[in-house]
Amino acid sequence: MRAFLASAIGVACTAALVLPTAAIAAPAPAVPASTASPGSTQSLPLVPLVPDAPGDDRAAGTVPQGLTERDARPFSLLGVIWDDPEAELHGTVQVRTRSTGTGAWSGWQFLETHHHEHAPDAGTAERETGKARGSTAPLWVGASDGVEVRVRPGGDAAVRGAAPAPLPSGLRLELVDPDDDPPPGTTTTAAADAAEDNADDAAAQTGAADDADDPRTTVLTAEDAAASAVNADLVPLGATEVPALSKAETEAQTFVLGGKPRIGPRPRIVTRKGWGANEQLRERNFVYTKRVKVAFVHHSATGNNYSCSQADSVLRSIYRYHVKSSGWRDLGYNFAIDKCGNIYEGRAGGVAKAVMGAHTLGFNSNSTGIAVLGTYSKSKPRAAVVKAVARLTAWKLGLYGANPSAKTTLKSGGGNRYKKGTRAKLNVIAGHRDGVSTDCPGGHLYSKLADVRAASARLQGR
């Protein structure tokens, strides 16, 4: 069943949502220059740490690497990268940072090292540019100006008593600044953060927006206009959000060949313009696949130490890390959801279109990737998150005639769970771990996917 969308501005024709696989050049109308904050990335090479004992004779590549305590320009997110995107880091990565607000150093925090399963598929233009690098998951640390890092080899070999695997070559620490950190002394208390999150949660339920006075939303560059124009069937050029629609309104806007659409009400989606994406970072063109058969649910593994008003900063930081540090063409995820249930447009190309992402290695074609911002291996997602995933999938999958409670098959492009060419049978709403051997999206979020499938199907009227 193929879905078509009536133009939101009253044009008599309809726009097909399912596009052929291709790289399509974005339009570039002449518009004023932007005042958007560009952000920045500091890239610091790691060095061997002082051996634990005199006469250390460990093999090359097995000596711990890192950086001792040092000052840095302001940053809010960090990660470790290395030269070869095919290489894995078998070991541990720990960091500690100094807050710009309090001047205090944090305790040691671990970075998720098994991050290679978030990547463009092998053989795609995005993977073969020569820019792609191996990387840990990024970690959100908040406004900071000091850092210390240590990387130790280890992994399964060390557990078995064998020599640890060498560390990848070219290890670097990436410090990302979204260029909107609050001035020193403006850190909030846990109670204030909780109150703010509750307010944001209520706003997410009512569809209220809070960015009307944001200067980043007042000017369009040519790149901004191109990223916005692909949503022109839904909202005017330069819109900061795609507003929510009722089920009846959504059905009236959507036509399905051969019968009534099975589609959920369209949720409110903050656009890339709304969260302040710097469109000059990404590749100019957009890449599409044929349809959307599966929605893969992820967690960003960036930690939960953010307030929901900081979610756009977290997203801008991940975006910069994916492009500038990992070497991808754009943000890897098609959508993001913060812990208050707000939904964000991810990779550029149009929220209703089948945009190829870089979220599930081997299964980026004919799928969409939804990342919940945070880490859910030990923490439980809020009810608002589960509801948001259900609402988004009921709408997005409904555009392509997909039943959220069903199973389907995808052909693997190659990964650590399914060999290239394998036809994998998957839930239409799947966890990242269903396609690749990984902890993502964390055990607590993964355990909620049965509830998500049921709720999403109900919203479609099944």
Side-chain angles (χ1 to χ4, degrees), residues 299-366:
H299 67 174
S300 64
T302 46
N304 303 317
N305 189 28
Y306 72 95
S307 63
C308 290
S309 65
Q310 294 176 309
D312 58 350
S313 299
V314 176
L315 198 52
R316 286 198 301 277
S317 299
I318 296 172
Y319 169 41
R320 174 170 281 273
Y321 184 74
H322 282 181
V323 176
K324 290 296 187 181
S325 301
S326 300
W328 303 349
R329 63 179 296 117
D330 194 352
L331 181 69
Y333 307 114
N334 298 100
F335 296 94
I337 297 174
D338 68 26
K339 61 186 179 183
C340 290
N342 299 294
I343 301 171
Y344 303 83
E345 178 183 16
R347 177 164 289 207
V351 295
K353 295 181 171 65
V355 180
M356 178 182 279
H359 49 82
T360 306
L361 182 63
F363 293 103
N364 290 309
S365 291
N366 299 326

Side-chain angles (χ1 to χ4, degrees), residues 1-3 17-19 21 287-296 334-335 350-357 359 363-370 392-404 408-410 427-430 460 462:
M1 197 185 306
R2 180 172 291 184
L17 295 178
V18 182
L19 303 180
T21 302
V287 179
Y288 300 96
T289 61
K290 293 180 179 179
R291 60 185 303 176
V292 176
K293 296 177 66 177
V294 174
F296 283 104
N334 298 100
F335 296 94
V351 295
K353 295 181 171 65
V355 180
M356 178 182 279
H359 49 82
F363 293 103
N364 290 309
S365 291
N366 299 326
S367 70
T368 194
I370 302 168
L392 177 57
T393 53
W395 174 71
K396 181 71 175 187
L397 293 170
L399 293 173
Y400 295 86
N403 180 350
T408 189
T409 57
L410 283 183
N427 287 306
V428 168
I429 299 177
Q460 285 191 353
R462 297 183 185 273

Side-chain angles (χ1 to χ4, degrees), residues 5 34 38 80 128 188 202 218 221 232 352 372 393 446:
L5 189 69
S34 174
V80 170
E128 305 303 325
T188 60
T218 60
T221 66
V372 179
T393 53
Y446 187 78

Side-chain angles (χ1 to χ4, degrees), residues 92-295:
T92 60
V93 179
Q94 292 177 287
V95 296
R96 57 193 293 263
T97 55
R98 185 179 62 206
S99 167
T100 59
T102 66
W105 284 86
S106 71
W108 287 101
Q109 300 183 76
F110 285 93
L111 273 63
E112 173 57 63
T113 58
H114 299 293
H115 195 59
H116 61 281
E117 65 278 353
H118 303 75
D121 289 345
T124 61
E126 184 172 4
R127 183 77 172 200
E128 305 303 325
T129 61
K131 298 178 181 178
R133 305 176 187 90
S135 61
T136 67
L139 179 69
W140 176 262
V141 294
S144 304
D145 61 5
V147 67
E148 183 176 6
V149 59
R150 57 193 185 197
V151 181
R152 292 192 172 105
D156 295 339
V159 172
R160 296 193 304 268
L167 295 172
S169 63
L171 289 169
R172 304 181 71 87
L173 176 67
E174 303 286 287
L175 304 176
V176 180
D177 174 25
D179 202 25
D180 62 352
D181 295 333
T186 60
T187 52
T188 60
T189 64
D193 274 349
E196 178 186 50
D197 286 352
N198 289 337
D200 287 336
D201 201 350
Q205 303 303 318
T206 61
D210 60 1
D211 58 4
D213 297 323
D214 190 334
R216 292 180 291 105
T217 67
T218 60
V219 180
L220 286 181
T221 66
E223 293 82 6
D224 290 333
S228 183
V230 287
N231 290 319
D233 286 316
L234 306 177
V235 289
L237 191 69
T240 59
E241 67 173 61
V242 177
L245 295 179
S246 68
K247 183 169 175 59
E249 290 170 329
T250 305
E251 289 175 347
Q253 191 186 64
T254 308
F255 302 91
V256 177
L257 299 181
K260 182 180 179 180
R262 292 275 193 171
I263 186 169
R266 188 179 74 195
R268 171 181 174 263
I269 303 171
V270 178
T271 66
R272 288 171 65 91
K273 184 64 177 174
W275 56 262
N278 180 354
E279 300 296 353
Q280 295 182 11
L281 290 180
R282 63 172 174 81
E283 291 290 331
R284 173 186 172 87
N285 296 336
F286 309 131
V287 179
Y288 300 96
T289 61
K290 293 180 179 179
R291 60 185 303 176
V292 176
K293 296 177 66 177
V294 174

